[in-house]
Structure formats: C-alpha cells, structure tokens
Amino acid sequence: MEKYSLVLEGGGAKGAYQVGAIKALKKRGLEIECIVGTSIGAINAAFIAQGDIDKLEELWQTLSFQDLMDINNEFIENIISMNFTSEILNEAAKKFVKAFKERGIDTANIRQLLEKYIDEEKIRNSDIRFGLVTYCLTNMKPQKLFIEDIPKGKLVDYLMATSNLPVFKRQKIDNMSFLDGGAYDNCSVEMLYDAGYKNIIAIKLFKKRNRIRNYSKLKSNKDLNLNIIVPSEELPFILNFETKTLNKLLKYGYIDTIKQIDKLDGYKYAIYKIEDEEIYKLKDVFNPIFSLEFVQYTKSSYKIGDNIISVALEKSLRKVCMFLCGVNTKSFKRQVLSLIEYVAEKGNVSKNKIYTFDDLIIRAKKVANKNIEKSKGIEKAAYYFIENIKEDE
C-alpha cells in the first residue's frame, strides 16, 4: 500500500478538527510514514507518532481553557461571546496587567499536560517519523526539526516552543528564546518535500487563509502529489476551548474529511452522491402559480408576456441564492443545494453526519414549515421553495 506523509497546520483550539480528520483518513486505510506540524499541529502530530490517537481524542473531548491557562472557563466564555459586564471587564483588566508584568501568559499547565502524556522514547522509536517547525527569536532563524534533530530529553521543550504564541511567556531552550512556528511556516509542506516525501496530505485549519510557505513554487513540482483537506467553513476562534465546541470540531473533522476523500456532494453538509435527475426533477416545483408567487417574494421585475417560469428560474432563483447564500451561479444544482443547506443551517440541522439527499430535504422542509409564516421577502422565497418540494422527491 502506498504511504503518505501528513502535515498539520497550527491553529490553537481549531486543532480538534485535525483529530477527526486523521481518524477518517485512517478509516480509509491511510498508512502514515511521516508527520510534521506547527504549533497545535505539532502537538497533535506527536500523539499520532507515538500511536496514541485514541488518547488524543479523549483529551480533546474533555479539554477546557482552564486546563491550559488556569483561567476560569466561564470568564473565557464571556469574553468569546462578548458578554462585557463591568465585572468581566474588571477581571480582564487585572489579567492583562498581570500578564504584562509577567511578560506573557503563563503556560505551566500546558507543559504539565505534555509531560504527562508525551512519550519521547515512543516517538523516537516510532515507525512514523515526527517533525515540527518553530522560530528562534534569539538568532531570528526558523527551525524545521525532525525528531533526530531534537536533543534527547528536549522534545517537550520544543513542543512548547512551536506552540509559543506571542501572548505567552517566551519559551527558552538553552538560553535561546522561541516563538510559535506559525510565525514562519504554519503548514510546512515544504519541510516534508525537502526531506524527500512526495505523497503529502496537508490538514488545514483555516479555510480562507493559505499559510503554506512557498505554495506556488511547491505546486510547480511535478513529482509532488499534494492533497489538502480544508474545512468546509471557517472554524471557531483559536482560543475557543469550550468543551462542546471542541467535541463538535472532532466530529466535524471526521465527516468533513470523509466528504472530501469520498467526493461526496454538498457544500456545508455532507450528502451521498446525488444523481442529476434527482436535482433536475425539482424544476417541476416551478409551475406557473408557484413561479408567480416566488417572483413576487423576490421583487424580481417582469413584464406582460414574459414566461413567468423562466423569470423565476433564471432571475429570482439566482437572486435568492446571491442574497442569502452569497452564491452567484447559473448552475441549478448549485442553486438548489445552496438553498436546501441554507434552510437546514437556519434550523440548526447537524452537520456532523452524512445525509441522503432525500433526508436533508425532509429536515429542511421541517425548518421551512416552522418558519415560513414569520418570514418575509427573499427569505420567505427560500422557505416557500423548500416547502413546495414533494415529500417523495
């Protein structure tokens, strides 16, 4: 079986997504020969290299900000939700002053977790080669280190170094100060390629930001087989270690990766392969009576003699998708899926499972039926469309 190397992007609490993604890849038979990471990606990579993915998943399932920073979880949740009461602001001011005086937020709890769970000997003897990226502030040079380059007994130090965010107390190793590796290369495909690895999977944590160093140059190498797992939507804030959020990210990473490697349909949701006829028979919804109502909800212009069905399909449907979903396309399939997913999302239909097309429609219809009477305008048009899809469709 062909082997692959993995590179895990840095991104704080977003890192839970990677654990679900790796479990999905392994379920599909992926064999890993090397794994490198930056920041939280390096910490995840260390657990994978030592063969403890289940333990890593357990940690993410129960992790909280208090475990990492010794800061009350409720306080952090209020900050993230922007619940700025006078008490919260006073507490925030005190913590800011303390961090300033101590030259950064204390990371002793993070070190304790790593010392408890990271087994350096296992990693050094593992069949999976491990590496990380950090940045030395003392000599202003990046360091891309494989396990054999890290002095024995110093692995936890370097894991602390690669994840040393600017707001943390500076991590020092042998009187040298280090900064989070993301300052240089947050997703080091280059490190793997330069080491001779050509089959590479990068698991990113940012949808829109491409932080792969020298990406264009790397892509021009014809011998590089690079596959990138990208979240289907932006993941929560890097310091959002709220336990429920982390558990959602674990599931989301798994489903999202299965969706990408199995080439499932859907944009925000994972949907088993949809046949073209399943989509195009939904045009039957656009009879003259429905089309006239749909056009009026969207306030699309038309004149006497126009084919009202054509106006609804070619003008109004596109307008609804642009306004509600930010999708500007003539593709009927893209338009229909966007609206179904929009309505499902409005009703908080879970994204952490794989749906058949019929099942997602049924769930979206329940949302539409519940909300159509209190909606208006373009949003009502979306609910009206979903509501009129036949149950057996």
Side-chain angles (χ1 to χ4, degrees), residues 167-281:
V167 295
F168 293 165
K169 285 184 179 179
R170 288 283 69 80
Q171 171 65 37
K172 290 191 175 184
I173 303 174
D174 300 327
N175 294 318
M176 307 273 280
S177 294
F178 288 84
L179 183 65
D180 190 292
Y184 177 73
D185 192 352
N186 204 44
C187 190
S188 195
V189 174
E190 187 175 52
M191 179 179 177
L192 285 172
Y193 183 79
D194 289 347
Y197 298 100
K198 301 299 188 288
N199 290 326
I200 299 173
I201 298 174
I203 304 180
K204 290 178 56 58
L205 296 176
F206 296 87
K207 180 183 179 181
K208 296 179 181 178
R209 297 165 63 190
N210 184 1
R211 301 179 67 187
I212 298 176
R213 189 176 182 86
N214 294 326
Y215 178 72
S216 297
K217 181 180 177 181
L218 285 165
K219 285 292 287 181
S220 68
N221 295 308
K222 294 183 179 179
D223 61 342
L224 173 62
N225 175 25
L226 176 61
N227 298 277
I228 304 177
I229 302 296
V230 183
S232 297
E233 57 186 56
E234 289 295 339
L235 304 182
F237 180 52
I238 63 170
L239 293 180
N240 186 353
F241 285 93
E242 197 269 330
T243 306
K244 288 183 180 178
T245 299
L246 298 179
N247 276 272
K248 287 180 181 178
L249 284 177
L250 287 166
K251 295 176 183 177
Y252 182 46
Y254 180 86
I255 294 295
D256 205 29
T257 302
I258 291 291
K259 173 185 171 182
Q260 292 179 57
I261 61 179
D262 288 358
K263 301 186 185 306
L264 301 180
D265 277 314
Y267 302 97
K268 293 187 174 183
Y269 287 82
I271 309 170
Y272 289 111
K273 180 67 178 176
I274 305 170
E275 301 299 328
D276 287 345
E277 56 266 26
E278 291 183 271
I279 287 287
Y280 290 109
K281 67 184 179 182

Side-chain angles (χ1 to χ4, degrees), residues 65-66 68-79 86-106 109 167-169:
F65 204 93
Q66 191 166 318
L68 300 174
M69 303 296 173
D70 198 23
I71 298 176
N72 184 272
N73 288 327
E74 186 178 352
F75 169 75
I76 292 297
E77 289 169 12
N78 281 319
I79 293 294
S86 59
E87 291 82 3
I88 293 296
L89 291 173
N90 287 334
E91 183 68 16
K94 290 178 183 177
K95 292 186 183 301
F96 177 80
V97 170
K98 181 182 178 183
F100 181 78
K101 288 181 177 178
E102 296 180 357
R103 297 188 177 184
I105 297 172
D106 185 66
N109 284 15
V167 295
F168 293 165
K169 285 184 179 179

Side-chain angles (χ1 to χ4, degrees), residues 274-275 277-285 340 356-359 361-362 365 386 388-393:
I274 305 170
E275 301 299 328
E277 56 266 26
E278 291 183 271
I279 287 287
Y280 290 109
K281 67 184 179 182
L282 296 184
K283 284 189 176 182
D284 293 343
V285 171
I340 291 171
T356 64
F357 188 42
D358 287 344
D359 190 20
I361 287 175
I362 289 170
K365 281 175 68 69
I386 301 299
N388 277 273
I389 297 174
K390 294 179 182 178
E391 285 288 350
D392 60 352
E393 299 285 11

Side-chain angles (χ1 to χ4, degrees), residues 285-304 306-320 339 376-385 388:
V285 171
F286 289 84
N287 59 50
I289 296 174
F290 170 87
S291 297
L292 179 60
E293 195 81 11
F294 191 73
V295 167
Q296 290 173 343
Y297 285 141
T298 62
K299 296 183 179 179
S300 300
S301 61
Y302 66 97
K303 58 183 181 293
I304 296 174
D306 284 346
N307 184 319
I308 198 65
I309 294 177
S310 295
V311 173
L313 283 168
E314 297 168 13
K315 186 182 290 187
S316 299
L317 185 59
R318 190 171 184 178
K319 185 176 182 179
V320 173
L339 287 184
K376 58 184 179 180
I378 286 181
E379 188 163 63
K380 189 159 189 171
Y383 290 140
Y384 183 56
F385 168 66
N388 277 273

Side-chain angles (χ1 to χ4, degrees), residues 48-184:
I48 303 305
Q50 71 184 35
D52 281 342
I53 188 169
D54 290 337
K55 173 55 67 177
L56 179 61
E57 184 178 21
E58 289 174 9
L59 284 172
W60 277 108
Q61 286 171 341
T62 57
L63 197 62
S64 71
F65 204 93
Q66 191 166 318
D67 296 323
L68 300 174
M69 303 296 173
D70 198 23
I71 298 176
N72 184 272
N73 288 327
E74 186 178 352
F75 169 75
I76 292 297
E77 289 169 12
N78 281 319
I79 293 294
I80 291 171
S81 62
M82 300 184 73
N83 180 24
F84 296 134
T85 64
S86 59
E87 291 82 3
I88 293 296
L89 291 173
N90 287 334
E91 183 68 16
K94 290 178 183 177
K95 292 186 183 301
F96 177 80
V97 170
K98 181 182 178 183
F100 181 78
K101 288 181 177 178
E102 296 180 357
R103 297 188 177 184
I105 297 172
D106 185 66
T107 56
N109 284 15
I110 299 175
R111 174 175 283 277
Q112 287 176 9
L113 279 172
L114 294 178
E115 289 176 343
K116 180 177 180 180
Y117 291 108
I118 294 299
D119 189 325
E120 185 171 334
E121 274 307 301
K122 270 189 179 181
I123 294 173
R124 291 189 181 279
N125 296 320
S126 175
D127 292 333
I128 302 174
R129 191 183 184 194
F130 167 78
L132 59 78
V133 178
T134 187
Y135 190 85
C136 181
L137 286 171
T138 304
N139 58 22
M140 302 298 286
K141 290 183 179 179
Q143 294 197 8
K144 297 187 281 187
L145 307 170
F146 285 103
I147 186 64
E148 61 269 24
D149 304 317
I150 298 172
K152 288 186 177 181
K154 298 281 189 179
L155 178 56
V156 168
D157 290 334
Y158 277 93
L159 287 173
M160 293 294 294
T162 185
S163 54
N164 195 249
L165 292 171
V167 295
F168 293 165
K169 285 184 179 179
R170 288 283 69 80
Q171 171 65 37
K172 290 191 175 184
I173 303 174
D174 300 327
N175 294 318
M176 307 273 280
S177 294
F178 288 84
L179 183 65
D180 190 292
Y184 177 73

